[in-house]
Amino acid sequence: MHRLYPIFLLLLTCAIAFGQEGTKRPLPAIKLETAPVIDGDPSDEVWKKVEPVTGFWDIQEGKLVAEQTRVRLAYNATHIFVAFEMTDSKTDEIISKETQEDSRFTNDAELAEDTVDVRFDTFSTNTSGGSSFFSINSIGTKSANLAGGRAKKTEWKGDWLAFAKRTPTGWTAEMQIPWGILNYPNQKAAQSFGINFFRYHARLKLPSYWANIGPQGREELQGIWTGVETPAPPKPKLSVLPYIITGFDAKTRPIVRTGFDARFPLSAEMTAVGSVNPDFGTIEGAVESVGFSRTERSVVERRPFFLEGQNFFRAGEGYDIGQFFYPRRIRSFDIGTKLYGKLNKKDSIGIMQTMTIGERLDAVVNWSHKESPFETYGIFTNVKASRADNASVASANYQKEWGKFAFSTRYAQSNDNGKSALASANTIWYSDKNNFSFLGYNDTNDKFRIPDGLIGFTGIKGWEFYDELTYQWRGGAVQESNSEFSYSHNNK
């Protein structure tokens, strides 16, 4: 590996020389004494006290969009209020189809619809996973995705209001978000949060952002909501969701199955979750694609226990060694516990243990330290113990960004029933406008194994280069053009 260092050193020097950082767009906080009426119509007198912001960007072209969006943002001691006004010159072509709440709206050309959302990064993580998203489409269907991962149980996630209305010039929407649904630092002084507003104009296939984060989604360029006087976080409250299912077995004998899920926020930053005899059979499962693949596919997780705090257990990527925690490896268990959250502004942790009594035990620990918005390192470990299989893995990772350039490295060692194996991945990537490229060196032993993870390939030692150029056409028969090029060289 020592022969590789000069190459990486040269590329890192280029990154420092050419890296650039943007300026955050500020938005001063406005506190209201009287709450506006939330009905989808922002003509309430209260809103006249709030100056709207506009200037939404086409992030691909780097220019303001023609049909703009106006947003008003305010708050009081209990809620955050947001009002949107979307102009559209062809109101009869506004598209909205989804009626199921929390359906996660898509921007796919065939399925996209008119939506807007607000994004709060309360801990200034400068990552999409660290932000809470609140979305609504033009017929009033709402969808929320809370920072850190939160199961879709309303009892755990919390509820919020949102309404939308059509107007002669487009459509409007309003939101009322309880402070209690968000996690944020507990401090008396006024705070600043990362923030952004997003609109998808379905007729034009046009995404636009209030803060221009660029085609590569550089979250460090998001806006900043300043001078927010947050209320004291709500007192910790234990939520217990028991269940009982009755039925008959194959011999028509009556059976009864019981269990419960529990969630307890230890603080605004730390949460504990427990599950006893969970009933995963009643949860809608993700359907795996039938398309050809040379490796096992990654299937979306939908079980509430594993969704809770999922971002605190995330380690490894597809262009890395692999996913170091893939919860579908754990099909069921009798008892499960999780502890996850932020230890302080820079450190976060996720600890999980599941057990099938007398048969199997799985444990995961993931610690991450964010030294700055552009520098992160962490440690991950996973252990599986059963009668027939005892395996473990430990890894350390580091990532540094310089504007458009970034460097990441990960080293890991596995122990598979007494047999040790090593893996490493070093990657430099560059992202600018519509181009994404990376150059990596991967060395993964063919005996390397992550017990509760997902690896595409093992037995790899060599270079890999990948380049992707994407351009979305704003009109005509061709809506999007995508060009990819990849090259890999395996020394084995």
Side-chain angles (χ1 to χ4, degrees):
M1 279 294 292
H2 66 279
R3 290 179 294 178
L4 307 179
Y5 292 152
I7 299 174
F8 278 110
L9 211 56
L10 175 61
L11 291 172
L12 288 175
T13 302
C14 293
I16 296 172
F18 295 106
Q20 299 177 1
E21 294 182 15
T23 302
K24 288 180 177 288
R25 191 173 183 180
L27 177 57
I30 298 176
K31 191 171 185 179
L32 299 175
E33 295 182 1
T34 303
V37 176
I38 303 300
D39 58 4
D41 182 1
S43 62
D44 190 289
E45 287 293 322
V46 175
W47 282 122
K48 294 181 180 180
K49 302 176 183 179
V50 182
E51 188 70 23
V53 296
T54 187
F56 275 57
W57 290 84
D58 177 343
I59 58 174
Q60 175 181 276
E61 302 294 338
K63 62 182 181 181
L64 297 174
V65 297
E67 298 190 310
Q68 274 292 329
T69 302
R70 286 158 44 103
V71 185
R72 289 177 169 88
L73 176 67
Y75 74 102
N76 64 13
T78 57
H79 294 86
I80 299 171
F81 308 100
V82 193
F84 294 88
E85 298 174 69
M86 283 63 66
T87 58
D88 195 323
S89 58
K90 296 183 179 180
T91 56
D92 58 332
E93 296 185 29
I94 295 174
I95 304 170
S96 282
K97 308 172 185 176
E98 186 60 65
T99 58
Q100 182 178 348
E101 185 174 330
D102 286 333
S103 58
R104 300 172 183 168
F105 303 121
T106 175
N107 291 344
D108 183 275
E110 299 298 323
L111 304 174
E113 50 192 292
D114 283 277
T115 63
V116 291
D117 70 43
V118 58
R119 309 175 178 195
F120 299 101
D121 184 2
T122 55
F123 286 94
S124 299
T125 64
N126 293 306
T127 64
S128 59
S131 298
S132 294
F133 295 64
F134 297 88
S135 310
I136 186 171
N137 67 5
S138 60
I139 58 174
T141 305
K142 61 182 184 177
S143 182
N145 187 20
L146 302 187
R150 188 82 64 85
K152 296 304 178 182
K153 295 173 181 285
T154 302
E155 297 88 345
W156 284 359
K157 184 189 67 175
D159 204 6
W160 57 291
L161 293 177
F163 298 94
K165 284 187 177 181
R166 297 288 183 93
T167 70
T169 59
W171 62 289
T172 59
E174 288 183 300
M175 300 177 180
Q176 178 177 289
I177 304 166
W179 278 108
I181 206 172
L182 295 171
N183 289 339
Y184 49 88
N186 183 11
Q187 64 183 54
K188 295 181 179 179
Q191 304 189 53
S192 294
F193 297 154
I195 195 167
N196 211 347
F197 306 103
F198 169 83
R199 175 187 179 184
Y200 190 79
H201 199 156
R203 174 173 59 85
L204 302 177
K205 305 294 187 290
L206 176 60
S208 60
Y209 291 80
W210 172 72
N212 185 3
I213 59 175
Q216 300 297 340
R218 294 175 55 197
E219 296 294 336
E220 69 271 17
L221 301 181
Q222 66 184 331
I224 181 168
W225 191 23
T226 62
V228 186
E229 298 175 356
T230 55
K235 294 182 179 180
K237 180 181 179 181
L238 176 64
S239 299
V240 180
L241 303 176
Y243 80 88
I244 180 170
I245 296 177
T246 61
F248 298 91
D249 62 14
K251 297 182 178 180
T252 68
R253 292 174 298 190
I255 57 173
V256 178
R257 180 180 173 90
T258 63
F260 68 86
D261 294 325
R263 184 177 186 273
F264 183 67
L266 302 173
S267 67
E269 296 88 6
M270 192 68 63
T271 302
V273 172
S275 186
V276 175
N277 199 24
D279 182 44
F280 294 147
T282 61
I283 299 170
E284 178 187 9
V287 179
E288 186 174 355
S289 169
V290 296
F292 174 77
S293 174
R294 296 183 181 275
T295 63
E296 180 183 356
R297 292 181 181 275
S298 178
V299 181
V300 176
E301 178 60 68
R302 292 181 177 172
R303 294 173 292 177
F305 176 81
F306 293 109
L307 288 178
E308 279 290 312
Q310 60 183 335
N311 289 338
F312 291 95
F313 296 88
R314 185 163 292 156
E317 301 290 347
Y319 54 81
D320 198 334
I321 298 168
Q323 295 182 43
F324 274 70
F325 182 51
Y326 182 56
R328 290 179 65 91
R329 293 279 183 252
I330 305 173
R331 296 295 183 183
S332 64
F333 58 82
D334 296 327
I335 302 172
T337 58
K338 299 176 81 170
L339 177 68
Y340 63 87
K342 297 186 72 66
L343 299 170
N344 50 55
K345 290 184 177 181
K346 293 185 176 182
D347 296 278
S348 61
I349 194 167
I351 303 173
M352 187 205 78
Q353 179 177 293
T354 62
M355 177 173 59
T356 301
I357 298 174
E359 295 183 15
R360 173 175 171 175
L361 182 143
D362 294 85
V364 176
V365 178
N366 186 39
W367 169 75
S368 178
H369 176 85
K370 200 171 187 68
E371 183 61 30
S372 74
F374 312 102
E375 185 176 14
T376 306
Y377 51 86
I379 296 174
F380 175 91
T381 184
N382 170 212
V383 176
K384 174 186 176 183
S386 68
R387 295 177 179 178
D389 187 15
N390 289 277
S392 64
V393 67
S395 79
N397 67 283
Y398 175 80
Q399 180 172 310
K400 177 71 174 179
E401 298 179 34
W402 296 272
K404 300 175 183 178
F405 289 83
F407 167 75
S408 69
T409 182
R410 181 182 294 275
Y411 285 83
Q413 179 173 348
S414 69
N415 188 306
D416 186 2
N417 295 286
K419 297 179 181 179
S420 179
L422 298 174
S424 64
N426 297 275
T427 307
I428 293 176
W429 69 84
Y430 171 82
S431 59
D432 181 26
K433 295 183 178 179
N434 306 306
N435 179 256
F436 174 78
S437 304
F438 76 80
L439 174 67
Y441 187 87
N442 190 308
D443 186 355
T444 302
N445 188 279
D446 57 359
K447 303 297 183 183
F448 182 79
R449 177 188 172 207
I450 307 173
D452 292 328
L454 177 62
I455 309 176
F457 295 98
T458 58
I460 296 174
K461 185 176 183 180
W463 292 93
E464 180 179 12
F465 174 76
Y466 176 85
D467 181 77
E468 178 178 346
L469 179 63
T470 303
Y471 189 82
Q472 183 181 14
W473 302 94
R474 298 304 188 216
V478 179
Q479 293 296 332
E480 184 172 297
S481 174
N482 183 279
S483 176
E484 298 182 18
F485 172 78
S486 64
Y487 170 80
S488 61
H489 176 73
N490 192 344
N491 294 335
K492 289 189 177 181

